[in-house]
Amino acid sequence: MTDRANPNILITGTPGTGKTSTAAQVAALSGLKHICVGDWVKEHSLHSGWDEEHQCYLLDEDKVCDALEDLASEGGCIVDHHGCDFFPERWFDLVVVLQTDNTLLYDRLAARGYGPSKVQENVQCEIMMVVLEEARDSYREEVVQALRSDTAEQLEANVSQLVAWIKQFQAQHA
Ligand code: ADP
Ligand code: MN
C-alpha cells in the first residue's frame, strides 16, 4: 500500500488520554519524529484565531495539512492530535486511539488546570467515544487500533507495542 521506508503513525484521543506522553516515548525509542500538532499550530501560526469558548486556538486545517505534507510524504512521523478527521487518509499506516477511564481522565484534566466546563466537555467526549468513532469513520478498519491508557503500566506496554510495530514495518519495507 505504501512505499515509505518508515511508517507514519497518528496518535489520537481525547485531551488527557496520554497522546503526548506516548508519542514522545515512542519517538525517543524509535527515532521517528514527534509532531505535536497543537505546538506546530502555535509555532507556525497555522491558526485562525483564539477560540474563547473552548479556550484553544482554532486551527486552520488546510494550512496544517499543507505544512505537514512534505514530512508526512517522507514517512517517519508520529503525529499527536486530539482530532483525526481532517488529515489525508493516505498519510497514516497506523491510527492509535488512546482511551482512559472517565474518573482518571477527570482528575488528569483538573490537574492540568482546565476549568469545570472544559473538563466536563472532554470527559463527555471520552464517554461518547467521539474520537474512536471519528477514527473509524475516517480510516480503514485494519489501520485503527484502540489502546487503554489508564495506568503507567499500560503507557509502558503501549509504547513497547508501538516500537515493536515500527520495527516490524521497517523490516518489511527495507
Ligand atoms: P494528551 O497529550 O493526550 O493530552 P498527556 O500525555 O499530556 O495527554 O497526559 C496527560 C497527563 O496524564 C500527564 O500528566 C501524563 O503524565 C498523565 N498520563 C498520560 N498517560 C498516562 C497513563 N497511561 N497512566 C497514567 N498517567 C498518564
Ligand atoms: Mn498533548
Side-chain angles (χ1 to χ4, degrees), residues 16 18-21 36 80 112:
K19 298 180 295 296
T20 301
S21 309
C36 180
D80 160 359
R112 187 180 264 185

PDB file of all heavy atoms in Angstrom, residues 16 18-21 36 80 112, ligand 2:
ATOM      1  N   GLY A  16      -5.822  14.578  27.401  1.00  0.00           N
ATOM      2  CA  GLY A  16      -5.553  13.968  28.698  1.00  0.00           C
ATOM      3  C   GLY A  16      -5.401  12.453  28.661  1.00  0.00           C
ATOM      4  O   GLY A  16      -5.046  11.840  29.671  1.00  0.00           O
ATOM      5  N   GLY A  18      -3.160  10.775  27.107  1.00  0.00           N
ATOM      6  CA  GLY A  18      -1.760  10.349  27.112  1.00  0.00           C
ATOM      7  C   GLY A  18      -1.086  10.362  25.751  1.00  0.00           C
ATOM      8  O   GLY A  18      -0.039   9.731  25.570  1.00  0.00           O
ATOM      9  N   LYS A  19      -1.643  11.109  24.816  1.00  0.00           N
ATOM     10  CA  LYS A  19      -1.074  11.147  23.463  1.00  0.00           C
ATOM     11  C   LYS A  19       0.372  11.626  23.467  1.00  0.00           C
ATOM     12  O   LYS A  19       1.250  10.998  22.874  1.00  0.00           O
ATOM     13  CB  LYS A  19      -1.892  12.089  22.552  1.00  0.00           C
ATOM     14  CG  LYS A  19      -3.320  11.665  22.348  1.00  0.00           C
ATOM     15  CD  LYS A  19      -4.051  12.645  21.452  1.00  0.00           C
ATOM     16  CE  LYS A  19      -4.200  14.028  22.052  1.00  0.00           C
ATOM     17  NZ  LYS A  19      -5.018  14.073  23.269  1.00  0.00           N
ATOM     18  N   THR A  20       0.609  12.773  24.128  1.00  0.00           N
ATOM     19  CA  THR A  20       1.944  13.366  24.070  1.00  0.00           C
ATOM     20  C   THR A  20       2.960  12.508  24.826  1.00  0.00           C
ATOM     21  O   THR A  20       4.081  12.304  24.350  1.00  0.00           O
ATOM     22  CB  THR A  20       1.905  14.819  24.592  1.00  0.00           C
ATOM     23  OG1 THR A  20       0.995  15.560  23.774  1.00  0.00           O
ATOM     24  CG2 THR A  20       3.267  15.474  24.530  1.00  0.00           C
ATOM     25  N   SER A  21       2.544  11.972  25.981  1.00  0.00           N
ATOM     26  CA  SER A  21       3.450  11.085  26.739  1.00  0.00           C
ATOM     27  C   SER A  21       3.820   9.872  25.893  1.00  0.00           C
ATOM     28  O   SER A  21       4.996   9.480  25.811  1.00  0.00           O
ATOM     29  CB  SER A  21       2.768  10.583  28.019  1.00  0.00           C
ATOM     30  OG  SER A  21       2.232  11.645  28.755  1.00  0.00           O
ATOM     31  N   CYS A  36       3.691  17.261  17.485  1.00  0.00           N
ATOM     32  CA  CYS A  36       2.524  17.611  18.292  1.00  0.00           C
ATOM     33  C   CYS A  36       1.812  18.736  17.535  1.00  0.00           C
ATOM     34  O   CYS A  36       2.322  19.845  17.430  1.00  0.00           O
ATOM     35  CB  CYS A  36       2.980  18.059  19.672  1.00  0.00           C
ATOM     36  SG  CYS A  36       1.599  18.509  20.728  1.00  0.00           S
ATOM     37  N   ASP A  80       0.599  13.718  16.704  1.00  0.00           N
ATOM     38  CA  ASP A  80      -0.094  13.702  18.002  1.00  0.00           C
ATOM     39  C   ASP A  80      -1.165  14.793  17.976  1.00  0.00           C
ATOM     40  O   ASP A  80      -0.844  15.971  17.948  1.00  0.00           O
ATOM     41  CB  ASP A  80       1.024  13.943  19.041  1.00  0.00           C
ATOM     42  CG  ASP A  80       0.589  14.435  20.407  1.00  0.00           C
ATOM     43  OD1 ASP A  80      -0.608  14.651  20.649  1.00  0.00           O
ATOM     44  OD2 ASP A  80       1.510  14.607  21.254  1.00  0.00           O
ATOM     45  N   ARG A 112      -4.468  19.543  35.197  1.00  0.00           N
ATOM     46  CA  ARG A 112      -3.878  20.357  34.143  1.00  0.00           C
ATOM     47  C   ARG A 112      -4.352  21.811  34.229  1.00  0.00           C
ATOM     48  O   ARG A 112      -3.851  22.669  33.507  1.00  0.00           O
ATOM     49  CB  ARG A 112      -4.287  19.736  32.805  1.00  0.00           C
ATOM     50  CG  ARG A 112      -3.653  20.331  31.610  1.00  0.00           C
ATOM     51  CD  ARG A 112      -4.140  19.644  30.366  1.00  0.00           C
ATOM     52  NE  ARG A 112      -3.228  18.595  29.947  1.00  0.00           N
ATOM     53  CZ  ARG A 112      -3.363  17.896  28.827  1.00  0.00           C
ATOM     54  NH1 ARG A 112      -4.395  18.109  28.038  1.00  0.00           N
ATOM     55  NH2 ARG A 112      -2.485  16.980  28.504  1.00  0.00           N
TER      56      ARG A 112
HETATM   57 MN    MN B   2      -0.855  16.514  24.273  1.00  0.00          MN
END
